Amino acid sequence: MKKVFSALAGLLLVSTTMTAAANEPITRKICVFDIAGNAGPIMQAMRDWRTDALSWGLRAELVPYTNEAIVSEDLQAGICDAGLITGIRTRNFNRFAGTVDSIGGIPDFEHMRMVMQVLAHPSSAERMATGSYTVMGVAPAGAAYVFVNDREINTLSRAAGKRVAVLEFDPTQAELVSQIGATPVLSDLTNFSNRFNNGVVDVIAAPLATYSALELYRGLSPDGGIINYPLAQITVQLVARSSRIPADIAQKSREYFFDNFDAILDVLNAEASAIDPKWFVEIPEEDKAEYEDMMQEARIDLREKGHYSPEMLTLQRRIRCRFDNTRGECTNPVE
């Protein structure tokens, strides 16, 4: 009888140990691109995320990177279990999520909120996981505006012959710039602002929130301006190796990102409000229609070439029509 009790006690001990082990959080390395390094605002936001992640069963070891390309490379090499990168670069891992940043696809933050809500919903989980990678969250980084060193460059025709900084890892940007007769200058996130500030390029596209941090007022002075028309909504996205992050944790993370949408928006708006209104350049209403047509043509072309996700473009078009069903694309959809 003692042997029976001894065996039962042994089984109970093993069961208890297994339960405790199952409840232990997993430890994973999360690589974070923040151009300001460990003291930057993105790292601070990710520390808040890390606190919540522990309650989901994930102990996150955050590692700051000031070079986004290396985050991407280390993620692919398996050095990082997950990496926070820009949405444009996410396209290499998940075309659906990476197309959120499509040119002209999301007009403003209210449209963006609805897109983010859809992406955070459990019904989107399958699209957020493709191949070996899963997108664990999408956060807004602000709308991209055109910064010019000469405020007379306020139409597409006047951009012809100008030097425009384009991201070297995104071939779509150079293609679009060439189509309007401008000269693309290959750059990356670590040097594009310096090239503008030093007069190496005449035009860049950047979120308003980067104005102070990147000292873009240097490139604007004395005769430049910011074209008051958003070209695209820029995002940062947390991309994970699917084999390293359980699906339930990835879903909780996506919901966390959406739940914090308004808090992020407050920060972006505060940064944008610091810009002196004198820099903004209004464009004629008739030119805005030309911009919209050009951007739609560009989206369709990039979709046909495999750069943009057809599903994401359709989602964005449906959301645009939900806000304004008088748009021509609502009765004659081509996306």
Side-chain angles (χ1 to χ4, degrees):
M1 195 67 173
K2 289 182 179 180
K3 290 183 178 180
V4 173
F5 279 115
S6 178
L8 288 173
L11 287 173
L12 182 60
L13 177 62
V14 170
S15 175
T16 303
T17 302
M18 289 177 66
T19 301
N23 290 332
E24 281 292 310
I26 59 174
T27 300
R28 295 292 184 264
K29 182 177 178 180
I30 313 298
C31 303
V32 180
F33 168 62
D34 189 327
I35 201 166
N38 193 48
I42 296 177
M43 274 297 292
Q44 182 53 54
M46 286 302 291
R47 290 187 187 97
D48 295 338
W49 171 87
R50 178 179 61 186
T51 300
D52 276 46
L54 193 58
S55 69
W56 314 329
L58 173 64
R59 180 180 288 112
E61 295 181 351
L62 302 180
V63 182
Y65 284 64
T66 56
N67 188 317
E68 186 193 21
I70 299 179
V71 177
S72 179
E73 292 167 4
D74 284 0
L75 178 60
Q76 290 176 306
I79 297 172
C80 307
D81 296 309
L84 189 73
I85 53 180
T86 59
I88 296 172
R89 201 180 286 271
T90 297
R91 210 178 301 147
N92 297 326
F93 300 94
N94 183 303
R95 192 161 52 126
F96 178 71
T99 304
V100 170
D101 298 46
S102 68
I103 183 169
I106 303 176
D108 56 37
F109 284 135
E110 289 309 306
H111 288 73
M112 174 67 98
R113 185 195 308 277
M114 191 170 290
V115 172
M116 298 294 99
Q117 185 175 15
V118 172
L119 298 187
H121 194 275
S123 63
S124 295
E126 186 175 343
R127 287 178 175 173
M128 300 299 276
T130 56
S132 303
Y133 300 96
T134 299
V135 177
M136 295 178 64
V138 181
Y145 286 74
V146 173
F147 288 65
V148 297
N149 59 11
D150 180 353
R151 63 195 302 116
E152 293 300 317
I153 310 173
N154 64 346
T155 64
L156 293 175
S157 60
R158 290 179 179 177
K162 302 301 181 181
R163 298 159 298 174
V164 182
V166 298
L167 296 177
E168 58 189 3
F169 63 84
D170 182 15
T172 67
Q173 295 188 17
E175 187 174 327
L176 292 173
V177 167
S178 296
Q179 286 179 2
I180 62 173
T183 302
V185 178
L186 298 182
S187 309
D188 60 41
L189 293 176
T190 63
N191 64 22
F192 84 105
S193 58
N194 286 335
R195 290 182 173 178
F196 179 67
N197 291 342
N198 294 326
V200 176
V201 297
D202 306 299
V203 182
I204 62 169
L208 297 181
T210 64
Y211 169 82
S212 295
L214 299 180
E215 300 181 340
L216 297 179
Y217 45 83
R218 296 181 183 276
L220 292 173
S221 298
D223 301 317
I226 304 170
I227 308 304
N228 197 13
Y229 186 87
L231 290 182
Q233 296 292 334
I234 306 302
T235 64
V236 291
Q237 305 192 17
L238 184 59
V239 182
R241 298 180 67 85
S242 300
S243 61
R244 300 291 291 162
I245 303 291
D248 63 319
I249 291 179
Q251 178 57 37
K252 288 174 182 176
S253 178
R254 287 191 289 270
E255 292 170 3
Y256 173 94
F257 271 70
F258 176 68
D259 289 343
N260 284 272
F261 179 89
D262 286 323
I264 297 171
L265 206 60
D266 288 343
V267 173
L268 294 174
N269 287 333
E271 290 290 337
S273 67
I275 301 175
D276 191 326
K278 72 176 184 179
W279 293 122
F280 286 99
V281 178
E282 301 299 329
I283 59 175
E285 284 298 320
E286 56 270 23
D287 285 349
K288 291 181 181 180
E290 182 185 357
Y291 270 63
E292 282 217 6
D293 290 342
M294 179 208 73
M295 291 190 292
Q296 184 186 66
E297 290 174 6
R299 290 194 301 270
I300 293 172
D301 180 54
L302 295 173
R303 178 192 67 189
E304 297 307 307
K305 292 179 177 177
H307 295 297
Y308 282 174
S309 158
E311 293 80 10
M312 176 53 71
L313 292 185
T314 297
L315 171 62
Q316 292 176 340
R317 189 254 307 160
R318 287 175 175 169
I319 289 176
R320 291 193 300 271
C321 289
R322 182 165 181 173
F323 278 87
D324 180 7
N325 61 12
T326 64
R327 298 172 64 93
E329 63 180 346
C330 304
T331 54
N332 183 31
V334 290
E335 293 181 85

